Amino acid sequence: MSEANKALFQKFMDEVIDKKNAEAVDGFMSPDFVDHSPAPGQGPGREGVKELIGMLFQGFPDMTSKVELMVAEGDIVVGHMSTSGTHTGEMMGIPATGKKVTFTETHFVRIADGKAVEHWGNQDDLGMMQQLGVIPT
C-alpha cells in the first residue's frame, strides 16, 4: 500500500502542480478531505485546496515544485519539496514583485481508498516573503 500511496502523491504533483490544473484536485482528494494546516483565508475541503492552488498559480505562473524526498508508512505519505517561481501576479494581496523565490515545503497526507483524506503541511512562508521583499531579512 505504501508504494501505491507514494505513486498517488507523485501523480498529484504531476497532474495538478506541474500541469497547473487545480480542477484535477477532485480526482485525488476525498469529498470529505480535511486540511489541518490551511493557508490564511483558505476555505475548507477540496474547494479550499483548489482556491489556494489557483491563487499560487496566479501569483507564480511559472511555479514548479520538485519532490526531493518521499517516505510512506501505512496510510501516510510524506513529501519534502523544493518550490520555486517568479512572482508576476498578485498573491494574497501582494502586488507582483517580479522576484524569483525558492522555498521548501513538507506535506503529510493520509490516504484511504486511493484518495487523500487528510493533510498536514509546513512551508517556509517567512523565507518566501523575505525573498519577495515584503518582510525584512
Side-chain angles (χ1 to χ4, degrees), residues 73-95:
E73 185 172 329
D75 61 354
I76 302 286
V77 177
V78 180
H80 181 72
M81 281 84 82
S82 176
T83 301
S84 60
T86 309
H87 186 220
T88 58
E90 182 181 323
M91 184 201 64
M92 299 178 81
I94 302 167

Side-chain angles (χ1 to χ4, degrees), residues 40 103-104 122-130 135:
F103 56 96
T104 58
N122 187 346
Q123 54 279 334
D124 183 11
D125 292 333
L126 176 61
M128 178 182 65
M129 294 298 182
Q130 287 176 327
I135 294 177

Side-chain angles (χ1 to χ4, degrees), residues 46 63 99 117 130:
R46 295 188 308 196
M63 184 178 82
K99 295 183 179 180
V117 294
Q130 287 176 327

Side-chain angles (χ1 to χ4, degrees), residues 10-85:
Q10 185 61 58
K11 189 172 181 184
F12 174 88
M13 296 301 295
D14 297 342
E15 297 295 321
V16 176
I17 304 303
D18 290 349
K19 293 182 180 176
K20 313 284 188 280
N21 185 6
E23 291 306 313
V25 162
D26 290 346
F28 293 94
M29 295 180 177
S30 167
D32 58 348
F33 175 80
V34 176
D35 193 342
H36 296 285
S37 47
Q42 178 183 333
R46 295 188 308 196
E47 291 305 312
V49 172
K50 288 191 275 189
E51 292 166 9
L52 173 64
I53 290 171
M55 179 210 43
L56 289 171
F57 292 159
Q58 178 182 329
F60 300 95
D62 64 343
M63 184 178 82
T64 61
S65 191
K66 180 180 180 214
V67 177
E68 302 286 347
L69 175 66
M70 190 182 318
V71 178
E73 185 172 329
D75 61 354
I76 302 286
V77 177
V78 180
H80 181 72
M81 281 84 82
S82 176
T83 301
S84 60

